[in-house]
């Protein structure tokens, strides 16, 4: 009886010893397969959140994302909203826009971005929800601005 138990146990041990090195050697392809699973997603802190709406102003395409209030548990009291400016050709030297990030019909802040010098002028029009300018930078062929905002639910 004891021999019947030890044979499958040793067989399982040999299989595990062979699988462990194979898992480390094929780690890149294994990681790529894991990343394709439906429950895997990139944190909105890195992506800027979901797109709320896209508007066009002459040759400029403006993408306003939903505000991001990420926290370990629940939502934080402060977060950011990301705005992306892109153009079919080169970005204009100066981008001047009034942005309504919460889509309530009232402008929340003004931006003036010099794409040549990276100088960004910011003015909060909605002092209740808008804290200040976070990031303003060129990424690939478009310009991204992150504005720090307060969570209206907290």
């Amino acid at each position: 009886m004891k021999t019947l138990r030890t044979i499958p146990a040793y067989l399982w041990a040999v299989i595990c010893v062979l699988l462990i090195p194979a898992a480390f050697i094929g780690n890149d392809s294994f990681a790529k397969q894991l990343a394709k699973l439906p429950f895997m997603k990139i944190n909105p802190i890195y992506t800027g959140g979901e797109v709320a709406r896209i508007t066009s102003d002459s040759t400029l395409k403006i993408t306003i994302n939903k505000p991001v209030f990420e926290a370990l548990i629940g939502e934080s009291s402060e977060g950011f909203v990301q705005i992306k400016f892109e153009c079919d050709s080169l970005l204009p030297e100066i981008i001047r826009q009034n942005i309504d990030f919460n889509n309530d019909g009232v402008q929340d802040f003004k931006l003036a971005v010099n794409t040549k010098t990276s100088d960004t002028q910011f003015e909060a029009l909605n002092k209740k929800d808008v804290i200040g300018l976070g990031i303003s930078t060129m990424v690939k062929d478009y310009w991204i601005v992150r504005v720090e905002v307060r969570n209206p639910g907290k």
Side-chain angles (χ1 to χ4, degrees), residues 31-143:
K32 288 178 185 176
Q33 293 300 321
L34 279 177
K36 291 179 185 177
L37 293 175
F39 60 87
M40 300 294 270
K41 65 178 187 172
I42 299 172
N43 193 312
I45 288 176
Y46 305 112
T47 63
E50 297 177 33
V51 174
R53 66 185 184 282
I54 298 172
T55 60
S56 294
D57 181 17
S58 63
T59 60
L60 198 61
K61 180 179 163 187
I62 305 164
T63 304
I64 301 173
N65 292 4
K66 293 179 182 176
V68 175
F69 302 107
E70 280 295 308
L72 186 59
I73 299 171
E75 290 185 338
S76 66
S77 60
E78 294 180 357
F80 68 88
V81 64
Q82 179 170 298
I83 296 95
K84 179 170 90 172
F85 300 99
E86 57 187 320
C87 196
D88 292 336
S89 56
L90 292 174
L91 284 169
E93 186 174 338
I94 303 288
I95 299 172
R96 291 185 196 281
Q97 287 295 320
N98 293 345
I99 305 292
D100 173 21
F101 80 90
N102 53 9
N103 206 19
D104 62 355
V106 179
Q107 303 301 320
D108 295 306
F109 54 89
K110 290 182 183 181
L111 286 172
V113 179
N114 186 329
T115 58
K116 302 295 181 202
T117 64
S118 300
D119 183 39
T120 302
Q121 302 296 320
F122 175 83
E123 181 185 350
L125 302 174
N126 178 356
K127 306 273 187 200
K128 180 183 148 213
D129 293 332
V130 178
I131 299 170
L133 181 65
I135 298 171
S136 177
T137 187
M138 180 84 165
V139 179
K140 296 183 182 176
D141 296 333
Y142 47 89
W143 198 273

Side-chain angles (χ1 to χ4, degrees), residues 2-15:
K2 200 173 193 180
T3 310
L4 291 174
R5 287 187 196 168
T6 57
I7 292 173
Y10 280 113
L11 185 61
W12 179 247
V14 168
I15 291 171

